[in-house]
């Protein structure tokens, strides 16, 4: 059972997505609880989607919701929350 779902809205984040993943993973592993990272790509026009898919291929605790165009920050958060499986949801902004 997943204890925490971390929602991470993404928009043109290719320069920081890998570091964001590393830092969130380091913090969450310290909790010793089951967790998931829910990346929500809000229509990025850079390499964000490609990098997110590379992370997902290496870590089954990460999932991706991928929008075909930009719907806005709140819609991205709502989509992440709708798809979260954890007992508690945390939004990273």
């Amino acid at each position: 059972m997943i204890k925490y779902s971390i929602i991470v809205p993404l928009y043109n984040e290719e320069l920081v997505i890998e570091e964001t993943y590393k830092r969130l993973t380091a913090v969450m592993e310290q909790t010793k609880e089951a967790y998931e990272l829910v990346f929500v790509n809000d229509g990025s026009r850079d390499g964000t989607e490609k990098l997110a898919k590379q992370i997902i291929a290496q870590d089954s605790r990460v999932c991706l919701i991928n929008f075909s165009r930009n719907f806005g920050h709140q819609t991205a958060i709502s989509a992440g929350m709708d798809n979260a499986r954890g007992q508690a949801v945390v939004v990273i902004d």
Side-chain angles (χ1 to χ4, degrees):
M1 176 169 280
I2 296 172
K3 180 89 173 197
Y4 301 108
S5 293
I6 313 303
I7 312 301
V8 187
L10 304 169
Y11 182 71
N12 295 337
E13 305 291 349
E14 71 179 358
L15 297 178
V16 297
I17 188 172
E18 291 175 340
E19 186 65 23
T20 299
Y21 165 75
K22 288 176 188 175
R23 290 182 184 197
L24 286 173
T25 300
V27 169
M28 293 310 298
E29 287 178 356
Q30 291 178 19
T31 69
K32 308 267 192 254
E33 300 283 355
Y35 69 92
E36 67 176 349
L37 300 179
V38 182
F39 287 162
V40 184
N41 181 29
D42 190 17
S44 295
R45 295 181 179 188
D46 63 359
T48 299
E49 178 183 359
K50 179 182 175 184
L51 293 171
K53 287 180 176 179
Q54 289 174 356
I55 292 169
I56 290 165
Q58 299 173 13
D59 190 341
S60 62
R61 298 170 297 190
V62 184
C63 65
L64 174 66
I65 300 168
N66 197 42
F67 292 165
S68 60
R69 66 174 183 85
N70 183 267
F71 287 95
H73 183 75
Q74 285 305 124
T75 302
I77 291 171
S78 293
M81 292 177 77
D82 288 345
N83 288 278
R85 299 176 293 156
Q87 295 175 332
V89 175
V90 178
V91 177
I92 298 297
D93 191 7

